[in-house]
Amino acid sequence: MSTHAGATAPAARIRNVLAAALALAVLAACNRAPAPVDAPAADAPQAAASDGSIHPEQWPELAWPVAADPAVEKRIDELLASMTLEEKVGQLIQGDIGSITPEDVRKYRLGSILAGGSSDPGGKYNATPAEWLALSDAFWEASMDTSGGGKAIPVIWGIDAMHGQSNVVGATLFPHNVGLGATRNPELLRRIGEITAQETRTTGMEWAFAPTVAVPQDVRWGRAYEGYSENPQVVADFARAMVEGLQGKPGAADFLGDNRVMVSVKHFVGDGGTTNGRDQGDTVVSEAELRDVHAAGYKTAIEAGAQSVMASFNSFHGTKMHGHQPLLTDVLKGRMHFGGFVVGDWNGHGQIPGCTNDDCPATFTAGLDMAMAPDSWKGMYDTTLAAAKNGTLSMERLDDAVRRILRVKFLMKLFDAPKPSQRALGGKFELLGAPEHREVARQAVRESLVLLKNNGGVLPLRTNQRVLVVGDGADNMSKQTGGWTLNWQGTGTTRADFPNADTIWEGIARAVKAGGGQAELAVDGKYKAKPDVAVVVFGENPYAEFQGDIPNLLFHPGDDSDLELIKKLKADGIPVVAVFITGRPLWMNREINASDAFVAAWLPGSEGAGVADVLLRKADGSVDHDFKGKLSFSWPRNAVDAAVNKPGYQPQFAFGHGLTYADKGDLAALPEDSGIEGLQAPAGVYFARGQLAPGLALKLEDGKGAATAVTTVPVALADNSLAISAVDHERQEDARRFTWSGAQAASATILSEPAQELTRETNGDLLLVLTLRPDALPASGALTASAGAGTSLPLLDTLAKLPAGQWTTLGIPLKCFAASGADVAKLDTLLKLQSDAAATLSISRVAVGAVSEAQHILACPQSK
């Protein structure tokens, strides 16, 4: 891809009108107002609608708001002139605390570290605030230690403060961005930014990888909840507010001060516009849409002085953003005059053609200033140094990148600051979850709730009655807080990990008791005494990034237990209020129809009591808080139409919809045809409940190549070397028993047509998780697993250590398959289990999952 001028004169003006009309039509189809952008001059050359070319002169020209400080520039000049090549390269490399030590920083003079979503002090997801701060001190001291030579250049620590300082136990957890967008309250966002900065500073970090300013156009994307809205104007307004909240305002005395953190606006650019909502996918839209929709938040963030921008994993018309010079350099730094530095995303540079995670000078040439090389930092340091020495990476580009990084450190006064524990907020752990901070989060919950149905005015509820609270989300902090909470996927936590928080049940119970009523919790709906009303709290389980990608907008496909619970309560004559916890709008027509009232609660965070504030009246019967939330994403009419910019898209509830108590909330029955036919399974689940996902097949094959397709069970190979029968795990015949006789080697293989693309899952350290029960294992022989055309991985030793006859979960890292030779970019054989000895193994589920989902993990064989 290259930048070119295009045509001029009358033809250009005609294309200008057509391009503008196209951009407006795209937005109008979604009932959205376009974000204001700087209009190109009438005679400016215009890009073709969708050829992937970039024309910087058509992008808004901005004024960088951070005035140059001659004293700072002088210090940068002096330091830069004295730095060795090794020290300069060190500033460009960022390693993750899971793979780097303070001694590494001391030796290689690295400029930055990060704590990824599942990287914590001592490897403990629930490490104490004191442990975080001690590690901050250790890394800072290493960077400032000149006893072995080198310059004292303070390291800067970046961390995903996604909805508050969500990595630290006890911190205030705000609603995820999908909920904050529904508040339409930029000033509230500004205050949330201030609090997040303060709580981040208590444990020593100075840099938040936030805000996300994606404008998701397809909520099948697993990161849709990180976006404030499908509407670019909402995103633009919120981006400015959040950047100013985190960093302070340029020119103000506290800008980048001790109570603030620097930001990393992400992910530049187009991550919310990939085809089919695929994470790390290709954004194939016109340049006008990329600029006017997907870049809307960057304009306001840059105008607010954002000090760093994070490059995106996605491509634009096939060119990876980490290697996209026209956008990173010509547009962002050139036309938009961004004066901070560009940081990469997790090994994103390794996805550029010709690059690897360990070797990619091309990313710096394209405009990246700091490579996020979490576990590849040493290789990136060595190869970048070699590239600088041989001229592959020009000295001009190297010095520019270092200068940008040093400037931020000087602006934050880090060169003159003591170690993190001795700074203004260091160690002030009383700020974590402070009452005044939690009150702001509770306000955010109240204002984020969107009321979609209120038949007969069932809401607000009186507190002087018997209230039943049911559903697996009622008393569930993990579900309530979602992904990016204490670990990457937000799973595996306990109630004790949230000392400064209220579940939705706890908030309701306290309010009902204060109003003279009685509240009962019965997750399964089996109440002790018939209630006057039931509140059913249910929704999505926690997820993050690509693990949250879904093929359609069905909610928990194949599992209607929540709907059945609502219907059972209704059959008992009990009015039902449904509270839906979710990171995105989903097709919920059946649940909406079955309920008397339906509330979208999004992912509310730590303050579940904010839900009770709105659902319940005050003790005297008056209304304390009305519904204020308005949909920041349109709500789907069916489970098929996911892309809001698709021609003819018609939502069930439009962007901006949301009832109040003054509105007539009665809703006629909605159509219950999802538009989806056939068996459905959640994304990444290959086998569950006795069924294979669509597009998959299972075959048995003996050592001589004789194969049998499995369509029903029981079934066996002709010589009975391998047989399959149905067994029970959690429900009747939901698992399969594989029995090898040992007569000859035989295998069972899950095949996919078309082939699966699992590169991103492999890079993300995900596993193939098998829920299994080892029934009978041989003392010797070969029991193996393989994928694609890779060599087999031995399973017998690992299986022998599992509890015999008991169900458990075994994870096989996808990286093991890749290392064995499997092409994870085109995987047609998802799993092949083979044995040459007598063995019996029962399996109830096969799915891609996170480390936290596996009780046992196979160790990859050492490469020879």
Side-chain angles (χ1 to χ4, degrees):
M1 183 184 301
S2 61
T3 303
H4 64 270
T8 57
R13 283 193 289 273
I14 292 172
R15 268 204 306 273
N16 183 22
V17 173
L18 292 175
L22 175 63
L24 289 172
V26 167
L27 295 168
C30 308
N31 294 317
R32 297 173 293 161
V37 298
D38 294 348
D43 59 351
Q46 297 298 305
S50 59
D51 65 358
S53 58
I54 294 296
H55 303 77
E57 70 278 4
Q58 295 174 20
W59 289 66
E61 186 170 17
L62 309 179
W64 181 240
V66 183
D69 185 334
V72 168
E73 296 304 316
K74 183 175 183 293
R75 292 183 70 179
I76 295 173
D77 288 340
E78 292 172 348
L79 179 56
L80 198 58
S82 69
M83 292 173 69
T84 65
L85 191 59
E86 288 77 7
E87 289 170 334
K88 290 180 179 180
V89 169
Q91 289 299 302
L92 273 58
I93 307 300
Q94 182 184 60
D96 182 79
I97 64 170
S99 303
I100 198 168
T101 66
E103 183 55 38
D104 293 325
V105 169
R106 180 180 288 106
K107 179 178 179 180
Y108 293 97
R109 317 309 296 173
L110 301 188
S112 179
I113 58 168
L114 81 146
S118 292
S119 297
D120 308 276
K124 299 183 297 182
Y125 80 91
N126 56 355
T128 66
E131 288 172 314
W132 281 99
L133 184 58
L135 193 57
S136 296
D137 276 353
F139 276 110
W140 179 88
E141 288 167 347
S143 70
M144 302 301 284
D145 183 1
T146 60
S147 60
K151 311 295 183 302
I153 302 176
V155 70
I156 188 168
W157 185 330
I159 194 164
D160 288 288
M162 301 290 284
H163 57 128
Q165 180 38 284
S166 52
N167 305 273
V168 179
V169 170
T172 306
L173 301 175
F174 299 95
H176 274 288
N177 289 354
V178 63
L180 295 180
T183 70
R184 301 296 202 278
N185 189 344
E187 287 307 310
L188 176 61
L189 262 288
R190 197 182 312 276
R191 179 64 182 135
I192 288 171
E194 293 172 353
I195 292 170
T196 300
Q198 292 171 14
E199 296 199 14
T200 298
R201 281 286 199 159
T202 65
T203 51
M205 284 73 80
E206 313 96 342
W207 182 7
F209 294 148
T212 299
V213 298
V215 189
Q217 302 296 286
D218 189 327
V219 296
R220 289 177 295 180
W221 185 35
R223 304 191 78 159
Y225 67 81
E226 296 181 39
Y228 294 115
S229 178
E230 70 185 30
N231 180 292
Q233 185 63 62
V234 172
V235 175
D237 292 343
F238 278 31
R240 184 192 303 275
M242 184 58 82
V243 168
E244 291 179 349
L246 289 164
Q247 293 190 162
K249 292 186 178 181
D254 68 341
F255 178 62
L256 297 176
D258 284 343
N259 289 6
R260 306 285 185 170
V261 294
M262 67 170 283
V263 304
S264 191
V265 188
K266 62 185 188 182
H267 306 86
F268 190 82
V269 61
D271 50 346
T274 59
T275 302
N276 297 325
R278 183 172 174 81
D279 191 54
Q280 303 184 20
D282 196 10
T283 302
V284 186
V285 301
S286 68
E287 183 182 11
E289 185 174 340
L290 186 73
R291 177 194 66 212
D292 299 344
V293 176
H294 298 288
Y298 294 95
K299 178 179 183 293
T300 52
I302 290 170
E303 289 174 335
Q307 292 297 297
S308 79
V309 165
M310 184 179 291
S312 182
F313 278 119
N314 71 277
S315 306
F316 181 62
H317 286 266
T319 299
K320 282 291 184 180
M321 286 305 308
H322 278 69
H324 205 303
Q325 186 167 338
L327 283 167
L328 292 182
T329 297
D330 301 342
V331 168
L332 181 60
K333 294 179 177 178
R335 179 68 173 179
M336 299 178 79
H337 299 300
F338 169 61
F341 68 86
V342 179
V343 64
D345 206 342
W346 191 278
N347 280 329
H349 55 272
Q351 297 184 10
I352 299 172
C355 287
T356 66
N357 290 352
D358 301 286
D359 187 359
C360 193
T363 194
F364 298 112
T365 299
L368 202 76
D369 299 306
M370 180 183 289
M372 185 184 292
D375 53 358
S376 58
W377 63 268
K378 179 60 168 61
M380 275 295 284
Y381 173 87
D382 290 338
T383 56
T384 304
L385 179 60
K389 287 180 176 179
N390 66 27
T392 302
L393 175 60
S394 73
M395 192 58 60
E396 179 184 15
R397 175 76 269 271
L398 176 62
D399 282 351
D400 174 61
V402 177
R403 178 179 294 277
R404 288 171 176 271
I405 295 166
L406 293 179
R407 183 180 291 118
V408 172
K409 293 182 177 183
F410 275 115
L411 288 175
M412 295 190 74
K413 298 181 174 57
L414 296 181
F415 282 88
D416 306 312
K419 61 184 179 180
S421 62
Q422 295 178 358
R423 297 174 191 171
L425 298 183
K428 292 192 173 181
F429 302 139
E430 65 274 12
L431 291 173
L432 295 171
E436 59 271 25
H437 293 180
R438 292 186 60 190
E439 181 51 44
V440 174
R442 187 166 173 172
Q443 176 190 349
V445 174
R446 290 195 295 262
E447 296 188 15
S448 70
L449 302 176
V450 178
L451 179 62
L452 297 179
K453 178 181 180 179
N454 192 21
N455 278 17
V458 64
L459 289 174
L461 302 176
R462 291 180 293 105
T463 54
N464 62 345
Q465 60 180 333
R466 186 181 293 277
V467 179
L468 175 68
V469 183
V470 307
D472 68 352
D475 196 31
N476 188 329
M477 284 304 307
S478 294
K479 201 153 189 165
Q480 187 174 306
T481 55
W484 296 105
T485 303
L486 298 186
N487 61 59
W488 179 32
Q489 296 290 327
T491 56
T493 58
T494 68
R495 181 64 183 88
D497 296 325
F498 303 93
N500 302 321
D502 283 317
T503 65
I504 293 173
W505 151 251
E506 289 165 346
I508 292 175
R510 191 161 55 240
V512 170
K513 181 179 180 180
Q518 294 179 298
E520 178 185 351
L521 175 66
V523 171
D524 59 3
K526 297 177 181 178
Y527 49 83
K528 298 176 181 176
K530 185 176 180 179
D532 298 304
V533 66
V535 178
V536 181
V537 187
F538 67 106
E540 291 191 292
N541 293 319
Y543 57 84
E545 292 197 63
F546 43 77
Q547 196 163 349
D549 284 5
I550 53 177
N552 53 58
L553 300 182
L554 290 177
F555 167 65
H556 285 179
D559 181 0
D560 290 338
S561 57
D562 296 303
L563 177 61
E564 292 166 359
L565 179 58
I566 294 171
K567 287 183 173 180
K568 180 184 181 302
L569 293 167
K570 284 290 293 178
D572 289 347
I574 303 168
V576 172
V577 176
V579 176
F580 186 45
I581 296 175
T582 183
R584 53 194 155 202
L586 294 172
W587 184 74
M588 301 298 295
N589 286 15
R590 298 180 304 165
E591 289 82 359
I592 292 173
N593 285 342
S595 308
D596 294 285
F598 192 94
V599 177
W602 314 113
L603 299 170
S606 61
E607 305 312 308
V611 176
D613 290 341
V614 182
L615 296 189
L616 300 170
R617 296 177 182 272
K618 295 173 65 176
D620 63 6
S622 63
V623 174
D624 196 7
H625 297 284
D626 200 346
F627 281 92
K628 291 184 177 181
K630 304 299 179 184
L631 288 178
S632 54
F633 291 85
S634 51
W635 200 278
R637 182 176 298 272
N638 55 49
V640 179
D641 297 330
V644 299
N645 57 8
K646 181 180 178 181
Y649 172 75
Q650 291 186 326
Q652 185 72 63
F653 303 106
F655 165 83
H657 178 75
L659 301 170
T660 68
Y661 285 136
D663 297 318
K664 182 175 175 56
D666 289 354
L667 182 69
L670 303 175
E672 296 195 359
D673 180 7
S674 70
I676 302 291
E677 296 182 2
L679 174 69
Q680 291 296 318
V685 176
Y686 301 137
F687 174 77
R689 305 185 189 96
Q691 299 280 355
L692 287 166
L696 304 188
L698 179 64
K699 76 169 183 178
L700 307 184
E701 187 174 4
D702 66 23
K704 298 176 182 177
T708 297
V710 178
T711 55
T712 60
V713 292
V715 65
L717 288 169
D719 66 350
N720 211 39
S721 56
L722 176 56
I724 301 181
S725 58
V727 293
D728 301 341
H729 177 202
E730 294 178 333
R731 61 182 69 182
Q732 186 176 4
E733 297 189 349
D734 65 340
R736 297 291 178 264
R737 175 177 292 156
F738 298 81
T739 303
W740 286 269
S741 69
Q744 64 171 314
S747 61
T749 306
I750 298 177
L751 301 167
S752 178
E753 176 60 43
Q756 302 269 342
E757 203 284 299
L758 297 179
T759 303
R760 56 189 180 155
E761 288 84 351
T762 304
N763 291 341
D765 292 326
L766 294 189
L767 321 171
L768 189 66
V769 180
L770 284 65
T771 302
L772 52 76
R773 183 180 67 191
D775 296 319
L777 299 175
S780 61
L783 178 55
T784 63
S786 61
T791 57
S792 298
L793 305 174
L795 288 181
L796 186 56
D797 289 346
T798 300
L799 292 173
K801 297 175 183 177
L802 304 184
Q806 296 182 28
W807 289 100
T808 188
T809 51
L810 173 65
I812 305 175
L814 295 177
K815 284 186 175 179
C816 293
F817 289 134
S820 76
D823 181 2
V824 293
K826 196 173 182 180
L827 208 58
D828 52 5
T829 298
L830 300 180
L831 177 65
K832 180 178 181 179
L833 295 174
Q834 181 167 312
S835 179
D836 62 4
T840 305
L841 194 63
S842 296
I843 298 177
S844 68
R845 191 172 187 268
V846 180
V848 174
V851 171
S852 58
E853 298 177 48
Q855 294 169 277
H856 308 276
I857 297 176
L858 180 74
C860 295
Q862 296 295 318
S863 57
K864 297 180 180 179

